[in-house]
């Protein structure tokens, strides 16, 4: 608890950029004395009615005394926050600490405050007050305030709704014509759900504004053909963009002109454009970008795509330039794609926008695509085009964003948008860095419950990220990141090729009900390769059904129909090689007929995934992937001219992402949270993905099988058990006392290790008993310790280089009496060193079992992680460790202990007795609860944990504490700053 004298410094960590309900951004920060003129100007623009609601009486202007009071705060007992857009104040909130009688108060005994808001009328309805509510509540909790009180006139229904919809536990009374609201500030499940629901709708709306603008200006359009700006303009026009397009270049004639041969209105400055501009594509030198951004902000532009390079990828100076660019864009309420971006694409029929450097607009389809690398973006779009072009084809794209340096808009924002986007069935992401892994995991888990999320991550093993990406440092190895992604339902693949392979299968096929695969085709060799690949990927293939080499179309169709009809089959893999008839290979018409037959059989049979492996039959792949409108007579594909998959009209496409109405509740879960067939697509027959290698097809199918299994389990999620013996409040008091004793004012956030007895006591608060280890500085002390514990005992060294190393002689077990103990002590000190070097301890023997280790740690990037493995070589040498995010559920820990490769040792391997897995799972859950309940616990090691057939014993434990950072993923919503 801070006092006013402690809080004189400006609390910079309270500053935050937030996305509002309409998708624009605002800056929230503490009010300072320098804001006096801004406050006066702000108040003058507030209506008389709003002023009356705030002060309960006519209050036309603020006196000098009012201005001083509202701009001078101690940041502890009196705090004011304001929201700013374009440097102008648009809303304020303040609290004043009060006592039980409602009078001004100071000190920790007064844990209540009175709160009041005022929002400029022009900005009401944008969710500004809701955002301020989240931030002022977080500030109050930090300052020891546990409850807010507010008095509101009954007619001020908007303000009452802000309070009542916040999700906090509250009490309402009515007296003397005033509604009095009191509510606790401790986050509840409902308040967190409300906050995240608002975050989702706001961020999805902000992306929707970028992807579906009504007008676009390309700033930096060259006067002559060629160049980045002119190419970007040409791409927008060639895509058939349905909105207005403008060209901007300071070298154009004054008063406006027409850029030929494009016929586009051309202006010297954005300010000269008579109508609104929703999106600006910026392709000017970096030195001129700040002036351009200022023009955009003053003109009311909603979003920027910065193609310009020379920012963070250029070094420290460029990184600072990038941060300044982001601050400037957000100050005007604009979202930013880039800098150094490749651009964005929206194929919806009502938009048809290609605001990128890609020379062609991809066909409309069901795949959403996000990349951080322009080069990878080019490769992905090209590869998708080769796999099936044309609207509605198998490789069609709904939306594409390549964010470059990812200063603002990131993969997290696209996940928010795709979650409820009806045009996107599969989300594909190429990530080189993850700026906010905790949020990414949360959003990915929610999205994956509705539609597949497939990720390939670059820079996995170097420990670095590409220039231009500024992210929190992380100690988590890539294998851990992969495990945590799997837990969240993310399909993690290793290459860009696998990204496309998996994405196309998931976008076109129903999810498999299990791992049973039928293999059929006209090549035994290819079928056997597929069979082996299935076994390698953990699938359960049936013996291949080999058709004649020259099998007819009818034979293929009948074989596929029979396979699909089988109740012991979950998926079908078809192999096909060219057949020869009378000295000539199959002609294109025969290949097209085969594709049609397979597609018809798939359409008529039960909803099961079908995939094809072909050799030297590219025409077959094209014929399987196209729609009725895009197939050509030779079995290939051609760009279609019809509507996109859902055929939205222009206004529907621009408003599809998120309604502007604010329903203050958690976002609705997808209607279909269980695996099933995708909805019928335009074009009639289903599209079937085809692969040139059996291994690629099987790997994609295996990913679909694993994802479908995760979806089935996610439909009935696990739970976090409650334990009656957990002493949460007492543990919190212990932690606060220990931090006060062990930390210093100079380094208040430095982590500290607890003494062994304090660590054991803290763990004991959560029902985790640590076996006593008594120090033995000499042989006599060892004997006294053994007598206190009772024989038989173990004698162990605790020196770091010998800890848990029985192979080096640092552990002596089953010592039955004093003579054996003294002999072991003598041998230990004779061979390994002096007692003061070895630090021996004595412990009572515990039932024999399997030695395991359990760790919980807080990574600055990934968050709280629970780890489990077998002690010794399996975990230390082979890295055989399983990880789960905290808080872990009962299902999480059950899967965790069974997912390590050495798990058979726990469950009766070679006739041994199985260990008490229930006790092990309970220990993991209790440890997870401890770390989740107390963010000050930043590290726990339990090693070894001996798991016996009945019960377990924790023989060693260490705990580290640190004061938590001011903000976490559970704090108020805010945009990241890299």
């Amino acid at each position: 608890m801070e006092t006013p004298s402690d809080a004189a410094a400006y609390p910079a960590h309270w500053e935050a950029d937030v996305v509002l309900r309409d998708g624009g951004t605002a800056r929230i920060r503490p009010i300072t004395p320098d804001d006096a003129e801004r406050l006066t100007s702000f108040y003058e623009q507030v209506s008389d009615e709003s002023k009356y609601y705030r002060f309960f009486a006519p209050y036309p202007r603020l006196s000098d005394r009012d201005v001083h009071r509202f701009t001078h705060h101690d940041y502890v007992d009196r705090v004011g926050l304001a929201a700013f857009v374009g440097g102008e104040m648009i809303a304020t909130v303040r609290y004043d600490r009060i006592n039980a009688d409602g009078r001004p108060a100071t000190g920790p005994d007064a844990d209540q405050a009175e709160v009041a808001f005022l929002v400029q009328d022009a900005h009401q309805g944008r969710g500004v007050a809701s955002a301020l509510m989240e931030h002022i509540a977080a500030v109050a909790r930090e300052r020891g305030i546990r409850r807010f009180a507010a008095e509101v006139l009954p007619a001020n229904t908007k303000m009452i709704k802000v309070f009542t919809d916040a999700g906090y536990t509250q009490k309402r009374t009515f007296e003397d014509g005033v509604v009095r609201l009191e509510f606790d500030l401790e986050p509840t499940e409902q308040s967190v759900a409300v906050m995240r629901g608002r975050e989702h709708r706001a961020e999805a709306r902000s992306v929707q504004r970028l992807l579906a603008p009504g007008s676009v200006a390309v700033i930096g359009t060259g006067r002559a053909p060629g160049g980045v700006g002119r190419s970007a303009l040409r791409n927008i026009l060639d895509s058939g963009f349905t909105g207005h397009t403008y060209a901007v270049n300071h070298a154009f004639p004054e008063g406006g002109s027409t850029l030929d041969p494009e016929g586009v209105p051309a202006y010297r400055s954005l300010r000269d454009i008579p109508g609104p501009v929703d999106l600006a594509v910026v392709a000017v030198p970096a030195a001129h970008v700040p002036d351009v951004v200022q023009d955009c902000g003053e003109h009311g532009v909603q979003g920027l795509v910065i193609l310009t390079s020379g920012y963070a990828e250029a070094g420290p100076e460029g990184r600072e330039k990038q941060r300044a660019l982001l601050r400037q864009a957000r100050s005007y309420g604009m979202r930013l794609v880039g800098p150094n971006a490749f651009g964005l694409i929206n194929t919806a029929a009502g938009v048809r926008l290609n605001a990128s450097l890609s020379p062609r607009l991809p066909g409309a389809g069901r795949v959403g695509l996000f990349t951080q690398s322009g080069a990878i973006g080019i490769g992905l779009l090209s590869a998708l085009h080769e796999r099936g072009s044309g609207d509605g084809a198998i490789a069609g794209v709904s939306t594409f964003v390549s964010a470059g340096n990812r200063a603002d808009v990131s993969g997290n924002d696209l996940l928010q948008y795709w979650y409820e986007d009806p045009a996107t069935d599969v989300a594909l992401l190429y990530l080189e860095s993850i700026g906010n892994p905790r949020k990414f995991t949360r959003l990915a888990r929610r999205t994956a419950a509705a539609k597949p999320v497939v990720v390939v991550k670059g820079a996995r093993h170097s420990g670095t990220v590409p220039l231009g990406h500024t992210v929190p440092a992380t100690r988590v190895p890539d294998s851990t990141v992969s495990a945590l992604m799997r837990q969240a339902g993310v399909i993690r693949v290793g290459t860009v090729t696998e990204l496309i392979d998996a994405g196309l299968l998931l976008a076109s096929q129903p999810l498999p009900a299990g791992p049973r695969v039928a293999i059929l085709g006209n090549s035994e060799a290819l079928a056997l390769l597929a069979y082996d690949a299935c076994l390698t990927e953990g699938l359960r293939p049936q013996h291949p059904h080999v058709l004649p080499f020259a099998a007819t179309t009818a034979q293929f169709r009948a074989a596929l129909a029979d396979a699909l009809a089988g109740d012991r089959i979950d998926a079908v893999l078809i192999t096909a090689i060219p057949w020869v008839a009378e000295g000539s290979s199959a002609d294109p018409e025969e290949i097209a007929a085969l594709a049609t037959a397979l597609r018809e059989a798939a359409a008529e049979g039960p909803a099961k995934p079908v995939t094809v492996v072909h050799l030297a039959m590219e025409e077959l792949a094209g014929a399987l992937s196209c729609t009725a409108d895009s197939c050509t007579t030779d079995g290939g594909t051609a760009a279609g001219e019809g509507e996109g998959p859902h055929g939205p009209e222009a206004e529907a496409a621009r408003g599809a992402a998120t309604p502007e109405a604010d329903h203050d509740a958690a976002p609705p879960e997808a209607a279909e949270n269980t695996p099933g067939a995708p909805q019928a697509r335009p074009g009639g027959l289903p599209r079937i993905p085809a692969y040139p290698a059996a291994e690629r097809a099987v790997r994609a199918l295996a990913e679909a099988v694993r994802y479908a299994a995760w979806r089935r389990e996610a439909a009935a999620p696990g739970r976090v058990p409650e334990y009656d013996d957990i002493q949460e409040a007492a543990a919190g008091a212990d932690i606060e006392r220990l931090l006060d004793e062990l930390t210093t004012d100079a380094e208040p956030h430095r982590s500290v290790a607890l003494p062994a007895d304090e660590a054991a006591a803290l763990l004991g608060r959560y029902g985790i008993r640590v076996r006593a280890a008594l120090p033995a500085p000499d042989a006599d002390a060892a004997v006294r310790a053994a007598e206190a514990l009772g024989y038989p005992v173990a004698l162990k060294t605790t020196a770091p280089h010998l800890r848990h190393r029985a192979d080096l002689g640092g552990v002596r077990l089953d010592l039955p009496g004093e003579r054996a103990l003294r002999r072991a002590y003598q041998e230990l000190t004779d061979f390994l060193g002096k007692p003061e070097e070895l630090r021996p301890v004595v412990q009572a023997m515990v039932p024999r079992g399997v030695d395991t280790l359990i760790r919980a740690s807080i990574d600055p990037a990934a968050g709280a992680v629970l780890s489990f493995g077998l002690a010794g070589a399996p975990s230390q040498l082979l890295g055989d460790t399983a990880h789960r995010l905290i808080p872990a559920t009962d299902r999480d820990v059950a899967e965790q202990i069974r997912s390590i490769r050495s798990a058979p040792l726990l469950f009766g391997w070679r006739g041994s007795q199985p260990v008490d897995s229930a006790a092990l799972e309970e220990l993991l859950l209790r440890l997870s609860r401890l770390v989740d309940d107390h963010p000050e616990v930043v590290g726990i090691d339990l090693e070894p944990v001996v798991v016996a057939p009945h019960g377990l014993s924790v023989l060693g434990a260490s705990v580290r504490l640190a004061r938590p950072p001011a903000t976490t993923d559970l704090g108020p919503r805010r945009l990241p700053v890299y």
Side-chain angles (χ1 to χ4, degrees), residues 95 604 665 766 808 822 887 898-899:
Y95 78 67
E604 295 167 2
Y766 274 71
L808 298 181
R822 289 186 179 276
R898 290 165 176 80
S899 64

Side-chain angles (χ1 to χ4, degrees), residues 276-602:
V277 174
D278 297 325
L279 179 69
V281 179
V282 180
V284 301
H288 299 299
V289 169
D291 293 335
V292 169
V293 172
Q294 180 179 347
D295 289 347
C296 290
E298 293 175 352
H299 195 75
V301 172
Q302 296 177 349
L304 304 170
V305 176
I306 307 291
L307 305 179
T308 306
S309 59
Y311 286 90
E313 80 280 1
E317 184 178 346
R319 183 175 294 111
E320 291 305 314
K321 191 189 305 181
Q322 179 170 302
R323 288 171 176 159
L325 167 65
L326 179 60
R327 287 194 298 269
Q328 185 185 19
R330 287 181 176 171
S331 72
Y332 288 106
M334 297 183 290
R335 296 302 305 269
L336 165 67
V337 177
N340 194 28
F342 186 69
L344 55 83
I345 292 172
N346 186 353
T347 64
V351 182
R352 306 291 292 183
L353 174 65
N354 179 12
S356 78
L357 299 179
S358 174
R360 76 164 70 89
L361 180 75
R366 313 301 303 172
V367 175
L369 188 59
F370 175 84
T371 77
Q372 292 174 350
S373 162
I376 296 298
I378 295 170
L380 284 171
L381 292 174
S382 176
L384 288 169
H385 180 77
E386 293 174 0
R387 298 289 287 272
S389 61
D391 288 347
I394 195 170
V397 173
S398 61
T399 47
F400 165 84
V401 175
S402 181
N405 290 4
R406 189 187 44 72
D408 183 21
V409 173
S410 68
N412 285 347
D413 295 290
L414 269 296
L415 286 176
Q416 297 276 38
Y417 174 77
W418 284 329
Y419 173 60
E420 289 181 331
D421 177 30
T424 301
D425 285 342
V426 178
L428 306 184
L429 299 96
Y430 171 80
L431 305 176
E432 292 171 334
S433 61
I434 303 177
N436 189 341
R438 297 188 218 191
K439 184 175 179 180
F440 173 80
T441 303
R442 170 168 58 86
L443 298 183
R445 183 195 293 268
R446 184 195 61 186
T447 305
K451 57 189 69 174
V453 177
V454 191
V455 171
V456 61
K457 188 176 182 302
R460 291 180 294 166
H461 301 299
S462 63
T464 61
V465 294
L467 293 174
H469 294 242
T470 305
V471 297
T474 178
R475 299 181 298 272
V476 172
D478 182 69
S479 59
T480 304
V481 174
S482 183
L484 299 181
M485 283 189 179
R486 292 282 183 188
Q487 183 188 358
V490 174
I491 301 170
R492 172 81 181 272
V493 296
T495 67
V496 169
T497 300
E498 292 174 358
L499 182 74
I500 295 176
D501 286 347
L504 296 189
L505 186 146
L506 291 162
S508 62
Q509 299 298 302
L511 293 176
R516 301 168 300 181
V517 181
I519 301 172
L520 63 92
N522 65 340
S523 169
E524 182 178 18
L526 193 54
L528 290 175
L529 285 174
Y531 182 89
D532 290 341
C534 286
L535 293 175
T536 300
E537 291 292 336
L539 302 180
R540 292 163 53 190
Q542 283 197 345
H543 189 73
H545 177 192
V546 181
L547 302 174
F549 171 70
T552 65
T553 295
Q555 288 176 304
F556 266 100
R557 176 170 179 165
L560 175 56
D562 289 344
L564 288 172
D567 57 4
R568 296 186 178 181
I569 293 300
D570 302 311
V572 180
L573 189 148
I574 303 167
T575 63
I577 63 173
W579 59 91
V580 178
E582 298 182 0
S584 62
S585 61
D587 62 35
E589 291 186 1
E590 291 177 312
I591 292 177
L594 174 60
T596 300
L598 295 177
R599 296 174 70 176
E600 288 175 347

Side-chain angles (χ1 to χ4, degrees), residues 164 236 306 385 562 672 676 781 793 828:
T164 57
I236 293 172
I306 307 291
H385 180 77
D562 289 344
E672 296 294 335
V793 296
L828 213 64

